[in-house]
């Protein structure tokens, strides 16, 4: 990668980081492109060379998330014990939920999916990757007899993700909630729900 390309990528990352912070702090609709430009150290005109609109920034954030999901999922799928891998994946997402800025950002993005088809499409790709990882691990555990017979893998997957999304929401509603302490209880409940 040339020095020019490296600089361009560094500016792009700075823009995305500034946007994430502003979206989390002020909300998607209260954040203007000028706010993001100022916070990232670029001019508004230069910002538009990278992203033509706020929704393009949100879609780029979703792309970053999808790359992270792919790496975490690949590591989980490489583990020989599917239930231990499922635990690792759940702990990863619950640990992310403990980051209050990340939680507020995720809530903003989820809300925007209800209003914006382009954002919904970008988030749907991320969601499919998350679902595929969970579903694969649950199916592997079921095949080994580690889950109760007849378990609906797809429904279980969706509800596990909904529980994680709920934890993200809980962090916004109840900032003092000790999610790190509650993670062991959460995993225990999941184990009991899946047990044969």
């Amino acid at each position: 990668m040339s020095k020019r390309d490296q600089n361009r990528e560094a500016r792009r990352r700075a823009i995305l980081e500034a946007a994430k912070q502003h979206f989390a702090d002020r909300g998607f609709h209260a954040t203007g492109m000028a706010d993001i430009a100022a916070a990232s150290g670029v001019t508004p005109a230069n910002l538009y060379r990278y992203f033509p609109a706020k929704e393009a920034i949100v879609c780029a954030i979703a792309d970053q998330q999808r790359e992270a999901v792919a790496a975490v999922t690949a590591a989980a799928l490489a583990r020989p014990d599917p239930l231990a891998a499922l635990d690792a994946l759940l702990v990863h997402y619950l640990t992310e939920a403990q980051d209050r800025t990340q939680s507020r950002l995720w809530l903003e993005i989820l809300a925007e999916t209800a209003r914006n088809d382009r954002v919904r499409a970008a988030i749907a790709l991320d969601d499919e990757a998350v679902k595929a990882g969970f579903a694969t691990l649950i199916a592997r555990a079921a095949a080994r007899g580690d889950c109760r017979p007849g378990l609906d893998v797809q429904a279980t997957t969706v509800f596990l993700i909904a529980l994680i999304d709920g934890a993200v929401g809980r962090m916004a509603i109840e900032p003092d909630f000790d999610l790190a302490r509650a993670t062991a209880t959460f995993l225990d409940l999941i184990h009991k729900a899946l047990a044969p």
Side-chain angles (χ1 to χ4, degrees), residues 49-117:
R49 290 185 189 149
Y50 289 88
F51 300 101
K54 281 192 295 184
E55 77 175 11
I57 294 173
V58 175
C59 291
I61 292 168
D63 291 344
Q64 282 183 330
Q65 179 68 17
R66 195 166 37 263
E67 290 170 12
V69 164
V72 168
T73 302
L77 292 174
R79 295 178 77 146
D81 180 343
L83 284 182
L86 183 62
D87 281 357
L89 211 50
L90 288 166
V91 167
H92 168 80
Y93 289 118
L94 291 172
T95 301
E96 275 191 346
Q98 294 170 46
D99 179 330
R100 298 203 191 309
T101 299
Q102 182 69 20
S103 290
R104 289 190 319 266
L105 173 65
W106 186 241
L107 290 173
E108 279 295 320
I109 291 173
L110 286 178
E112 193 59 22
T113 63
R115 298 182 286 263
N116 185 311
D117 290 339

Side-chain angles (χ1 to χ4, degrees), residues 19 21-32 54 108:
Q21 190 65 53
H22 271 277
F23 293 158
D25 290 345
R26 298 178 58 202
F28 181 77
H29 291 283
T31 299
K54 281 192 295 184
E108 279 295 320

Side-chain angles (χ1 to χ4, degrees), residues 12 27 30 42-43 47 60 68 90 93 122 124 136 144-145 158-159 164 168 180:
R12 185 178 186 281
V42 300
T43 65
L47 173 62
L90 288 166
Y93 289 118
T136 299
R144 287 175 34 144
V158 169
F159 280 113
I164 293 166
V168 170

